[in-house]
C-alpha cells in the first residue's frame, strides 16, 4: 500500500515497454498482442521452436536476484 497502485501500474508498463523494445529486433521472435493500451503481459513465439518447449525452458530459469 505504501508504494501505491499507480506506481506499480506505471512500473509494470515501463517493464513491458522495455521488454518489447529489446525483443522486437530479435530475429525469429514474433510478439503477439501489441495493442498500445494492453495489459502488462508479453507474449511471443520463437521461430523453429514449439511454444510449450520455450515455456518450459523459461520456467526452469530463475531471473530473480535476492540481495
Amino acid at each position: 500500500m505504501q508504494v501505491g497502485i499507480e506506481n506499480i501500474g506505471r512500473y509494470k508498463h515501463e517493464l513491458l515497454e522495455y521488454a518489447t523494445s529489446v525483443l522486437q529486433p530479435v530475429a525469429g521472435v514474433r510478439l503477439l498482442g501489441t495493442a498500445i493500451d494492453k495489459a502488462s503481459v508479453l507474449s511471443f513465439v520463437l521461430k523453429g521452436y514449439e511454444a510449450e518447449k520455450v515455456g518450459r525452458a523459461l520456467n526452469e530459469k530463475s531471473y530473480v536476484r535476492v540481495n
Side-chain angles (χ1 to χ4, degrees), residues 3-67:
V3 174
I5 195 73
E6 296 84 11
N7 290 331
I8 294 170
R10 184 173 30 260
Y11 182 68
K12 285 172 45 177
H13 185 73
E14 289 170 1
L15 286 174
L16 174 65
E17 287 180 335
Y18 172 73
T20 300
S21 71
V22 170
L23 288 176
Q24 266 182 333
V26 176
V29 172
R30 183 170 56 97
L31 300 178
L32 308 172
T34 56
I36 293 172
D37 291 326
K38 68 184 229 107
S40 296
V41 174
L42 184 64
S43 299
F44 65 92
V45 291
L46 189 54
K47 185 177 181 180
Y49 295 90
E50 295 178 16
E52 293 80 13
K53 287 185 180 182
V54 173
R56 277 195 296 274
L58 290 172
N59 194 45
E60 292 172 3
K61 299 290 182 183
S62 175
Y63 297 100
V64 177
R65 269 192 258 176
V66 178
N67 293 330

